[in-house]
């Protein structure tokens, strides 16, 4: 039970309060025991007996203490009884948070199936009884967990959770979970989990292993297999801060630390690992706030570690933002990637004119979105530009996915159309290609902003009816569109002056 307690810490010899006032008298000998090591919420007055304002506050503090003894107890009891929790310890579902996720899931040898949910989500509420039922059935076989991704958004972002509920399966490679694609009944969940467990056993028998699982030895940052590079962390001072951070076009993440701070020491290997992984994308630095007090005071550093983000491009002191992510390397990397991609420009929409254009956008991206627009004679420049504008809008909306975006006109790339099965539905048409897995997904809904958005949203969740891609399409070299309306070819006039019509009649 959480109880709110009013207390006072005296800076002089005379105490303002007695035991009957409802105010706890705090001293150096009892402060940690009563306050720091307590689960209660405390409000503490630091006063001096000679202070006139403190003397004026004393009767009000006593009055508040007695009133709050009853009021907050009643309110907090009501809150605790009325609070909504999807799962309890008896359900067999492990409550996962940023604090315990790596320990329970990532560093575990077990197969985990984890639901990322939001308490307000109707689908999540409907899933809850089925999830509990599945968890009890799978006890001792597969671990079942749940993350309140509304409260722990950075943990959801770390695993690209964009809707609720999202279910992830953490198998051999805990750092690359698989999206659950099955039904939302206990039977479907259990069947999928057992199949995945069987597959994981087969993979182990075959000598395969993932990058997750138990770690050996100490000092690991848990942020990936890349060897930490201490040189990736830049040492900042009062004298170089403005030139290196404020006057830089780079995005910066800066830790203000104190050498004696235990939390800072725990963060250090994770900070180095994250800086190593993010090298070339952003810059990460540290500043000893106990030595370089000018910058620490300028940015309002009051506790350690304090982490500030300075965005890319032209910046000023007021642009500094508080870092609100987790303290592991993977948390830091996920937080940065989320902000980094949010500031990316919208992707270019390329016309397919050569094999190089196609390969660059499809082979270097997880997915490439290919649109086949009507022929210019069937859809003139205004019409075509409207379709391209829709593609640009969708590219901006889904730029975090970092997909490739391509278009061509009908009949310009016959081999591409044949390979992707485009044409049977008419034009315009669209397909998303995963060149690494050799799969593609056709747009079967309307080629409108709403229809394309629904299609792309499903793709972003890893859903969609896939078709196998035997080989990557071969592209013909074509001239790029000049941006103008199409013109019918001009036919040559036939000179009939030398033709004798009477001769033709005789021949007929």
């Amino acid at each position: 039970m959480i109880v709110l307690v009013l207390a006072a810490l005296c800076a002089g010899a005379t105490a303002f309060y007695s035991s009957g006032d409802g105010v706890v008298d705090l001293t150096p000998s009892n402060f940690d025991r009563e306050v720091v090591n307590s689960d209660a919420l405390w409000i503490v007055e630091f006063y001096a007996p000679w202070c006139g304002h403190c003397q004026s506050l004393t009767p009000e503090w006593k009055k508040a203490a007695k009133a709050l003894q009853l009021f907050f107890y009643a309110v907090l009891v009501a809150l605790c009884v009325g609070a909504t929790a999807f799962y309890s310890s008896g359900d067999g579902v492990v409550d996962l948070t940023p604090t315990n996720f790596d320990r329970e899931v990532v560093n575990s040898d077990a197969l985990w199936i984890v639901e990322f949910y939001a308490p307000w989500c109707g689908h999540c509420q409907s899933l809850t009884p089925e999830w509990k039922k599945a968890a009890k059935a799978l006890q001792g076989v597969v671990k079942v967990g749940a993350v309140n991704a509304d409260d722990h958004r950075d943990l959801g972002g770390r695993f690209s959770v964009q809707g609720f509920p999202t279910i992830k399966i953490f198998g051999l490679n805990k750092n690359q979970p698989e999206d659950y694609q099955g039904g939302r009944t206990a039977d479907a969940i259990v069947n999928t989990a057992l199949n995945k467990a069987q597959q994981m056993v087969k993979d182990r028998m075959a000598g395969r292993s993932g990058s997750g699982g138990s770690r050996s030895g100490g000092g690991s940052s848990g942020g990936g297999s890349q060897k930490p590079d201490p040189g990736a962390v830049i040492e900042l001072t009062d004298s170089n801060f403005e030139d290196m951070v404020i006057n830089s076009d780079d995005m910066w993440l800066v830790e203000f630390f104190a050498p004696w701070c235990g939390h800072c020491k725990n963060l250090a290997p994770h900070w180095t690992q994250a800086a190593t992984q993010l090298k070339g994308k952003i810059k990460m630095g540290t500043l000893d706030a106990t030595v370089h007090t000018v910058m620490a005071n300028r940015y309002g550093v009051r506790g350690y570690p304090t982490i500030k983000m300075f965005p890319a491009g032209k910046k000023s002191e007021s642009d500094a933002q508080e870092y609100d992510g987790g303290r592991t390397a993977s948390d830091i990397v996920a937080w940065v990637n989320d902000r980094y991609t949010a500031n990316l420009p919208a992707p270019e929409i390329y016309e397919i004119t050569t094999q190089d254009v196609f390969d660059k956008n499809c082979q270097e991206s997880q997915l490439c979105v290919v649109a086949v627009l009507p022929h210019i004679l069937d859809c003139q420049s205004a019409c075509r530009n409207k379709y391209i504008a829709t593609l640009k809008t969708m590219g901006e909306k889904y730029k975090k996915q970092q997909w490739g975006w391509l278009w061509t006109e009908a009949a310009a790339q016959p081999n591409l159309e044949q390979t992707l099965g485009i044409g049977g539905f008419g034009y315009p048409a669209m397909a998303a290609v995963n060149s690494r897995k050799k799969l593609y997904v056709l747009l079967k809904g309307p080629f409108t902003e709403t229809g394309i958005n629904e299609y792309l949203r499903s793709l972003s969740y890893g859903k969609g009816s896939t078709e196998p891609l035997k080989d990557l399409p071969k592209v013909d070299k074509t001239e790029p569109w000049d941006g103008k309306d199409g013109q019918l070819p001009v036919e040559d006039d036939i000179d009939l002056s030398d033709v004798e019509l009477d001769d033709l009649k005789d021949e007929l």
Side-chain angles (χ1 to χ4, degrees):
M1 175 61 63
I2 300 173
V3 183
L4 184 139
V5 185
L6 264 70
L9 186 72
C10 179
T14 305
F16 276 19
Y17 305 101
S18 64
S19 58
D21 295 328
V23 178
V24 180
D25 184 31
L26 296 172
T27 66
S29 60
N30 72 357
F31 193 90
D32 281 359
R33 181 181 71 252
E34 293 286 350
V35 181
V36 177
N37 299 330
S38 163
D39 291 328
L41 172 66
W42 283 78
I43 299 180
V44 180
E45 175 201 7
F46 293 80
Y47 71 94
W50 45 261
C51 163
H53 293 300
C54 305
Q55 293 168 8
S56 301
L57 177 63
T58 301
E60 300 300 322
W61 198 252
K62 292 177 181 179
K63 188 176 177 182
K66 288 183 178 179
L68 288 169
Q69 276 182 320
L70 296 175
F71 178 74
F72 267 90
Y73 183 82
V75 169
L76 288 169
V77 167
L79 285 173
C80 292
V81 170
T84 302
F86 273 23
Y87 305 104
S88 64
S89 57
D91 295 326
V93 179
V94 181
D95 183 33
L96 297 169
T97 67
T99 305
N100 69 359
F101 195 93
D102 281 1
R103 182 180 70 249
E104 293 284 349
V105 181
V106 177
N107 300 331
S108 162
D109 290 325
L111 175 71
W112 279 82
I113 182 166
V114 179
E115 174 202 6
F116 293 80
Y117 71 91
W120 45 261
C121 161
H123 294 301
C124 305
Q125 294 165 11
S126 301
L127 176 63
T128 301
E130 299 297 319
W131 198 250
K132 291 178 181 178
K133 188 176 177 182
K136 288 182 178 178
L138 290 167
Q139 275 184 329
V141 181
V142 174
K143 295 276 192 179
V144 179
V147 175
N148 183 340
D150 195 43
D151 284 348
H152 308 301
R153 295 184 182 181
D154 285 311
L155 186 53
R158 174 179 167 186
F159 296 106
S160 303
V161 173
Q162 297 181 343
F164 306 114
T166 291
I167 300 172
K168 300 272 184 179
I169 300 167
F170 293 80
L172 278 182
N173 189 342
K174 297 295 195 296
N175 293 314
Q176 293 184 352
E178 180 183 345
D179 286 321
Y180 172 81
Q181 303 285 7
R184 293 183 180 177
T185 65
D187 285 342
I189 295 164
V190 168
N191 287 336
T192 299
L194 292 176
N195 288 336
K196 296 299 179 183
Q198 186 179 34
Q199 183 61 50
M200 192 162 81
V201 171
K202 289 180 180 178
D203 288 343
R204 284 176 177 164
M205 290 288 289
R208 301 188 191 98
S209 62
S211 61
S214 299
R215 299 196 210 106
S216 59
S220 171
S221 67
S225 58
Q226 194 173 356
K227 186 178 179 180
D229 174 17
V233 179
I234 299 168
E235 184 178 350
L236 298 168
T237 65
D238 281 341
S239 60
N240 71 7
F241 194 94
E242 280 205 31
D243 282 341
M244 298 200 74
V245 179
I246 302 302
N247 296 334
S248 163
D249 287 331
D250 296 305
M251 175 179 171
W252 276 82
L253 203 61
V254 179
E255 176 201 2
F256 296 81
F257 73 96
W260 45 259
C261 161
H263 292 302
C264 303
K265 293 175 183 177
N266 292 335
L267 175 63
H270 293 276
W271 195 254
T272 303
Q273 180 65 58
T276 303
Q277 290 182 243
L278 293 167
K279 195 172 182 180
K281 181 177 284 188
I282 73 158
K283 291 186 177 178
M284 292 178 62
T286 55
L287 183 140
D288 185 342
T290 65
V291 175
H292 305 288
T293 56
V294 174
M295 289 300 157
N297 289 331
R298 180 176 296 178
Y299 292 102
V301 175
R302 298 289 180 268
Y304 308 110
T306 291
I307 301 172
K308 301 274 187 178
M309 188 275 282
F310 297 81
K314 187 177 180 181
K315 58 181 79 69
S316 63
E317 294 172 14
S318 61
D319 291 324
Q321 300 174 24
E322 292 289 339
Y323 171 83
D324 56 2
R327 298 284 177 90
T328 66
S330 52
D331 288 336
I332 296 166
V333 170
W335 190 93
V336 167
N337 284 336
D338 189 50
R339 271 71 184 172
Y340 181 81
T341 53
N343 293 320
L344 286 175
E348 289 287 334
I349 314 296
Y350 292 98
E351 182 181 3
I352 305 172
T353 55
T354 66
Q355 190 72 48
D356 286 343
V357 171
F358 182 84
D359 291 346
K360 183 174 177 59
N361 284 276
C362 286
Q363 294 188 20
E364 296 181 12
S365 304
Q366 181 190 12
L367 283 179
C368 62
V369 180
V370 180
V372 181
L373 305 182
H375 192 277
I376 192 64
L377 293 176
D378 297 322
C379 173
Q380 296 285 4
S381 59
C383 169
R384 177 172 290 184
N385 284 325
K386 188 174 180 181
Y387 284 131
I388 293 175
T390 298
L391 296 178
K392 288 181 177 179
T393 300
M394 292 296 102
E396 169 69 32
K397 185 166 187 176
Y398 290 91
K399 66 181 179 180
K400 286 187 179 183
Q401 306 293 338
Q402 295 182 278
W403 293 335
W405 292 79
L406 298 165
W407 72 274
T408 185
E409 74 170 359
Q413 300 293 344
N415 183 60
L416 173 68
E417 290 189 37
Q418 184 178 4
T419 304
L420 299 180
I422 288 177
F425 298 102
Y427 304 104
M430 179 178 284
V433 179
N434 186 326
S435 61
R436 297 169 192 173
K437 295 184 178 179
K438 290 194 173 180
L439 297 171
Y440 70 92
V441 180
L442 281 172
L443 167 67
K444 294 185 178 177
F447 199 99
T448 62
E449 193 168 313
T450 302
I452 295 172
N453 182 53
E454 288 296 319
Y455 165 73
L456 296 176
R457 189 158 62 95
S458 294
L459 291 178
S460 69
Y461 295 154
K463 299 177 182 178
S465 179
T466 59
E467 298 289 342
L469 195 65
K470 293 181 181 178
D471 294 298
L472 290 180
K474 298 299 180 184
V475 168
D476 296 327
K477 186 174 182 179
T478 60
E479 290 296 320
W481 178 45
D482 59 10
K484 300 177 182 178
D485 284 340
Q487 299 291 332
L488 287 170
V490 179
E491 296 183 1
D492 294 333
D493 292 333
I494 301 173
D495 185 3
L496 300 177
S497 60
D498 295 334
V499 178
E500 293 290 341
L501 295 181
D502 291 338
D503 292 342
L504 286 176
K505 287 179 183 179
D506 292 339
E507 290 178 11
L508 294 175

